[in-house]
Amino acid sequence: ICDQMLLGETCSTFSPFCEKLCETFLSADIPLHKLNHPKLRTFLEEETGKLIPDPRTLRRTYVARLVFDHALRILWPDGIRNSNCTVPKNGACDVFSTCITPGRRR
């Protein structure tokens, strides 16, 4: 689980809670730095029973993945399984160096 981390630390394991938190804030156009507000942080931690990670950790760990997933949904609305391309099964896609194009197998 992605608990509160110091700046410079990264999530060693994937956390669905952290991903959903990041996705929720981004889709509502709420800047992730708002998670540093003491009242909001305290409320979220008390209500969820989870420690809220530093926004920089969320950016580093989840934003690229969410952007990549969103881009795939735009490019292939019927799902990537219906296209003629592949994505690594472990989900370790590097959106900055991996270029997935229809019709091309990696």
Side-chain angles (χ1 to χ4, degrees):
I1 292 181
C2 185
D3 291 332
Q4 190 158 355
M5 295 172 226
L6 300 172
L7 180 60
E9 290 184 9
T10 59
C11 257
S12 58
T13 59
F14 174 78
S15 167
F17 170 76
C18 290
E19 182 181 50
K20 195 70 161 172
L21 179 68
C22 189
E23 181 181 24
T24 301
F25 269 62
L26 294 175
S27 66
D29 289 327
I30 302 170
L32 291 175
H33 73 83
K34 297 287 187 179
L35 287 167
N36 285 330
H37 190 280
K39 288 259 188 202
L40 179 60
R41 179 175 290 278
T42 301
F43 171 76
L44 289 172
E45 289 179 348
E46 287 175 356
E47 293 300 315
T48 64
K50 298 183 183 285
L51 293 173
I52 304 301
D54 186 279
R56 293 167 283 202
T57 301
L58 289 174
R59 266 187 230 103
R60 245 189 336 271
T61 308
Y62 296 97
V63 170
R65 179 187 177 119
L66 290 168
V67 169
F68 184 78
D69 289 347
H70 183 69
L72 287 180
R73 283 193 299 276
I74 291 170
L75 292 171
W76 293 288
D78 296 329
I80 199 156
R81 279 181 244 138
N82 297 333
S83 67
N84 192 19
C85 68
T86 59
V87 176
K89 291 182 182 180
N90 65 1
C93 300
D94 179 357
V95 297
F96 302 108
S97 63
T98 301
C99 181
I100 298 176
T101 56
R104 183 173 162 206
R105 292 222 172 249
R106 290 194 166 248

